[in-house]
Amino acid sequence: MQKLIVMQSLWAMERRQTDGLERSLEKSVEMIIEARYDGVSTDWRDRARSKRIAAMLKSHGMVAEGQCFPQTVDDLKPVLEIASETGLHHLDIQPDVRPRTIAECVPLIEGWMRLAEQVDFPVYIETHRDRMTTDLYFVLDLLDRFPDLKLLADLSHFLVGREFADPVSDENHAYIHRVLDSSFALHGRVASREQVQIEISFPHHRKWLDLFLGWWDYGMRSWRRRSADDAELSFVCELGPQPYAIAGPDGNDLSDRWSDALMMREEVTALWSRIIREAG
């Protein structure tokens, strides 16, 4: 049976509050374990740190999404080696390059895809600002050139980057759907057309949460049609610290991001359950 895996971002566990207190890595992972997440998402470039995290997760039957930020084809090799040693649910590439033409992307993507064929876990390319995938139209052109490209969709960057009109037009919905039709994992953040991350617990932000739930609904249904009967779809709650999180005049977050992440998980798991029920 297809399964939804909900993870929590370790980057999102950073407090960055005015009291200066930060949790240890072990405390953050412990909180995620106690909250019964299925795994964590984190930078996987440091071998020692990755091994520490993998050991903590393994004893609880949890998994990890590794992240990396290659600028060249060869930059991916050591990350794949670490991931092969530790095990990963999948690896997320944020391509840390800013080409202005599709032709400049070709050798990088082809090289990364060749390397990805040599490991036994999936490798996806994330949609993200200030990366190769910063612009929605550019990503659509990439999909024209690489129709089999496997994406990881963080849609918050497209909404704020393109400043979609409200309500979102059918044309823009269709563009997002095309991205989702090539996506194999999701990152959970809710944007407005002006901010990349808004507080989902605020009642006046509900319309933006509903917009993203509608997109994730489409993405989940699309993924189910394309995936094996025993496949697992990853969703990462990724409510980042400041400056992603908006601060009030006291310099602290306007909401409790940990509670907001739990709320997001509840909304997403309910969405998944409804999709499964409707499928019979």
Side-chain angles (χ1 to χ4, degrees):
M1 179 182 294
Q2 292 177 338
K3 185 178 180 181
L4 177 69
I5 299 291
V6 183
M7 305 188 199
Q8 166 67 6
S9 164
L10 277 177
W11 166 68
M13 298 298 289
E14 296 178 19
R15 294 183 70 250
R16 301 190 192 176
Q17 304 301 290
T18 56
D19 59 16
L21 300 177
E22 290 291 346
R23 305 179 189 94
S24 67
L25 173 62
E26 286 73 15
K27 178 60 179 177
S28 291
V29 174
E30 179 184 336
M31 286 179 63
I32 294 168
I33 291 170
E34 290 178 352
R36 298 182 181 273
Y37 280 95
D38 298 307
V40 305
S41 170
T42 190
D43 190 332
W44 216 252
R45 293 175 295 175
D46 183 294
R47 178 175 269 100
R49 180 178 182 273
S50 298
K51 286 186 174 181
R52 283 168 62 199
I53 294 169
M56 287 186 278
L57 298 178
K58 185 176 181 179
S59 62
H60 294 274
M62 298 169 69
V63 295
E65 170 191 88
Q67 294 181 305
C68 63
F69 311 86
Q71 297 179 327
T72 68
V73 172
D74 287 345
D75 284 349
L76 185 59
K77 292 179 180 179
V79 185
L80 292 177
E81 291 175 1
I82 295 169
S84 296
E85 294 169 9
T86 58
L88 275 184
H89 188 269
H90 61 274
L91 181 65
D92 168 27
I93 293 177
Q94 279 193 24
D96 190 14
V97 289
R98 294 143 200 88
R100 297 185 62 182
T101 67
I102 297 299
E104 295 173 84
C105 301
V106 170
L108 290 168
I109 291 179
E110 288 182 343
W112 291 329
M113 292 174 72
R114 283 195 302 271
L115 291 175
E117 292 173 354
Q118 301 172 20
V119 296
D120 60 1
F121 49 85
V123 179
Y124 307 136
I125 292 181
E126 182 178 352
T127 62
H128 202 289
R129 289 172 302 155
D130 197 34
R131 301 289 185 257
M132 177 192 289
T133 51
T134 188
D135 181 71
L136 174 59
Y137 291 178
F138 195 86
V139 170
L140 296 175
D141 288 343
L142 278 176
L143 292 175
D144 286 341
R145 177 63 179 79
F146 295 97
D148 295 327
L149 191 64
K150 292 185 175 182
L151 298 177
L152 185 154
D154 185 338
L155 302 175
S156 63
H157 298 288
F158 289 148
L159 177 59
V160 74
R162 278 281 162 184
E163 198 178 6
F164 287 176
D166 178 27
V168 176
S169 68
D170 290 343
E171 180 182 38
N172 283 331
H173 276 302
Y175 289 151
I176 293 294
H177 290 171
R178 186 172 177 215
V179 170
L180 288 168
D181 283 332
S182 293
S183 296
F184 291 80
L186 301 168
H187 275 188
R189 178 184 304 110
V190 172
S192 71
R193 52 195 302 261
E194 308 301 347
Q195 285 95 30
V196 75
Q197 180 174 296
I198 58 174
E199 301 81 2
I200 63 172
S201 55
F202 291 4
H204 57 283
H205 288 160
R206 182 71 210 193
K207 71 174 185 177
W208 299 110
L209 175 57
D210 287 340
L211 172 65
F212 277 80
L213 287 170
W215 283 339
W216 295 333
D217 179 288
Y218 179 93
M220 289 175 177
R221 294 175 191 271
S222 171
W223 175 88
R224 278 173 50 80
R225 292 192 298 270
R226 294 178 278 114
S227 300
D229 291 342
D230 61 348
E232 295 178 340
L233 174 64
S234 166
F235 183 100
V236 173
C237 297
E238 195 183 33
L239 303 180
Q242 296 177 37
Y244 269 71
I246 301 172
D250 62 354
N252 294 314
D253 294 356
L254 293 180
S255 69
D256 182 337
R257 286 182 291 109
W258 174 251
S259 296
D260 285 354
L262 294 173
M263 174 185 172
M264 176 179 287
R265 181 179 66 172
E266 184 176 344
E267 293 273 3
V268 168
T269 54
L271 175 61
W272 176 263
S273 295
R274 184 169 70 251
I275 292 171
I276 296 300
R277 285 197 307 271
E278 291 175 359

